[in-house]
Every structure is written in structure tokens, then in C-alpha cells.
Amino acid sequence: AALARLVAEAAAEAVASSGRFTLGLSGGSMVPLLARELPPALRAVPGSDPSRWLVAFCDERLVPPEHPESTGGAYRVS
């Protein structure tokens, strides 16, 4: 929950100052953690507007999104 709150607060600050927030995401245990904790954190932090985010998957493998080892795919189904 603390990590999700930190992300939401950083997003709100970045959106307010530059109009966008850039976030690099890794896979693994981070996927279920953020899928569970980030939505409530975003609701609690005004201005964290996910439509203003640029998200990059840092450890994305060269596999299709539907492949079990796809980081992007893991976030899409979570």
C-alpha cells in the first residue's frame, strides 16, 4: 500500500508540473501488488490521473502479450 501511495503521489506531482507522469514497471510479484493496491491509492490522491501516464514495461520479453511470460500481458489481465 505504501508503494502504491508513493506512485500515486509522484503521479499527481508530475501531472501538475509537466502534464504527464512516466512510470517503468517490472513484472513478477509487482503485478499482483500494484493490481491490488494502486486503484485505491489513485482514488485517494487527487490529480494522479492515469490518462496522463506513459507506462513502460522494463523487463518485457520478446513474446506476444498473450504469452504467460509477457509482463505487459500480466498487467492487462490483472
Side-chain angles (χ1 to χ4, degrees), residues 11-50:
E13 183 177 319
V15 168
S17 67
S18 67
R20 72 175 181 169
F21 175 60
T22 304
L23 178 66
L25 293 173
S26 62
S29 62
M30 191 64 62
V31 177
L33 181 139
L34 287 178
R36 180 183 66 246
E37 300 294 341
L38 194 53
L42 292 175
R43 288 190 295 273
V45 178
S48 55
D49 188 3

Side-chain angles (χ1 to χ4, degrees), residues 25-78:
L25 293 173
S26 62
S29 62
M30 191 64 62
V31 177
L33 181 139
L34 287 178
R36 180 183 66 246
E37 300 294 341
L38 194 53
L42 292 175
R43 288 190 295 273
V45 178
S48 55
D49 188 3
S51 71
R52 309 295 302 170
W53 292 23
L54 172 64
V55 177
F57 300 110
C58 298
D59 67 345
E60 186 60 10
R61 293 154 182 97
L62 295 174
V63 297
E66 60 277 354
H67 192 280
E69 292 187 17
S70 168
T71 299
Y75 278 100
R76 274 191 282 288
V77 299
S78 292

